[in-house]
Amino acid sequence: GAVLSVQRISPAQLQKSGASRWVVGIGGTNVSVSLPVAFMLQFADDVVLTAIDIQMPLAKAQFDVTGEQVQVLGPVSLELSRLSRPGKALHVSGLAEPILINLGINASRGVQCGYFDL
């Protein structure tokens, strides 16, 4: 299955909180996203964080470059948009502090994370 989480973020409330990062969990999963408050303060408008966690293997048989079979789990997709323009994703780059995505798994030897940026 998949889990969809939509969170409204108010930069004004973040500023009042005095926190340096804002962490939101994707409900029903171990995945969380940590956003730098300094980045969020550039928006006068509230922001919407949409996250999708596809919680199943994408394929039954995937192999790494050595031919060893590996398990490939579904992606986590994140999108930020202004509340006033919810269908238009914000382009994010060159941040002084990164947006952190915690996949909620214990890293062990041989575990790798793959990603792509649309």
Side-chain angles (χ1 to χ4, degrees):
V3 175
L4 170 68
S5 176
V6 180
Q7 299 280 331
R8 180 178 179 172
I9 306 166
S10 168
Q13 289 180 341
L14 290 177
Q15 189 171 26
K16 288 179 188 176
S17 76
S20 63
R21 297 194 74 81
W22 180 76
V23 179
V24 61
I26 298 176
T29 75
N30 293 327
V31 176
S32 64
V33 180
S34 175
L35 298 159
V37 170
F39 161 69
M40 300 304 294
L41 294 179
Q42 71 179 306
F43 303 106
D45 194 2
D46 284 3
V47 176
V48 176
L49 171 66
T50 304
I52 301 171
D53 181 12
I54 299 176
Q55 301 180 316
M56 66 177 100
L58 289 183
K60 293 184 181 182
Q62 290 287 313
F63 301 89
D64 68 11
V65 295
T66 67
E68 184 177 340
Q69 187 170 348
V70 295
Q71 183 180 30
V72 178
L73 298 177
V76 173
S77 174
L78 303 174
E79 182 177 285
L80 287 169
S81 60
R82 288 185 171 89
L83 184 62
S84 60
R85 299 186 73 190
K88 179 147 174 74
L90 295 170
H91 178 76
V92 178
S93 67
L95 299 179
E97 296 178 66
I99 294 173
L100 303 175
I101 303 167
N102 180 341
L103 299 177
I105 62 170
N106 291 324
S108 60
R109 187 170 175 222
V111 173
Q112 294 181 5
C113 180
Y115 68 92
F116 63 96
D117 189 6
L118 295 176

